[in-house]
Amino acid sequence: MRRLALTPVLAVVTALALAGCAQNFDRGPEGKVSDKVRNGKKFYLVVDPEKGGSEKKFRVSKYDYHDCNRGSKYPKCVDD
C-alpha cells in the first residue's frame, strides 16, 4: 500500500526535474548571424537585423549555437 502512495509523488518529482532541463530563451531578431560567442557554458549569437538597426547579441541553447554558422540566416538556421 505504501508503494502505491509513492508512485504519484515520484511521477511529479520526475516531471518537475525534466521540466527544469528545458531551456527557453527569447528568440532574437531575424537577420544574418555575424558572430558566435561562447562564455563558459553560455552560448550567444550576434545577429545583424535585416531591417536595419544595430547588431543584437542574445543567448541561445547550445544546439542552436552549433546549428547556426556565421553568415547563415537566423532563425532559419534553427528551424532546419
Side-chain angles (χ1 to χ4, degrees):
M1 190 65 154
R2 206 170 208 196
R3 288 183 186 178
L4 290 176
L6 289 178
T7 303
V9 172
L10 183 59
V12 169
V13 169
T14 303
L16 290 174
L18 291 175
C21 295
Q23 294 179 344
N24 292 327
F25 299 112
D26 291 335
R27 196 166 210 162
E30 291 185 15
K32 187 180 270 191
V33 177
S34 60
D35 199 10
K36 295 167 63 170
V37 180
R38 182 176 176 187
N39 184 3
K41 291 187 177 184
K42 296 179 182 176
F43 301 92
Y44 299 90
L45 292 178
V46 179
V47 171
D48 188 14
E50 291 178 343
K51 299 179 181 178
S54 59
E55 293 181 331
K56 183 171 181 184
K57 177 180 170 183
F58 53 95
R59 191 168 173 197
V60 294
S61 71
K62 69 178 178 180
Y63 305 107
D64 292 346
Y65 177 85
H66 291 294
D67 288 345
C68 294
N69 298 313
R70 288 177 185 86
S72 62
K73 188 171 182 162
Y74 182 85
K76 188 174 182 343
C77 57
V78 174
D79 296 333
D80 285 344

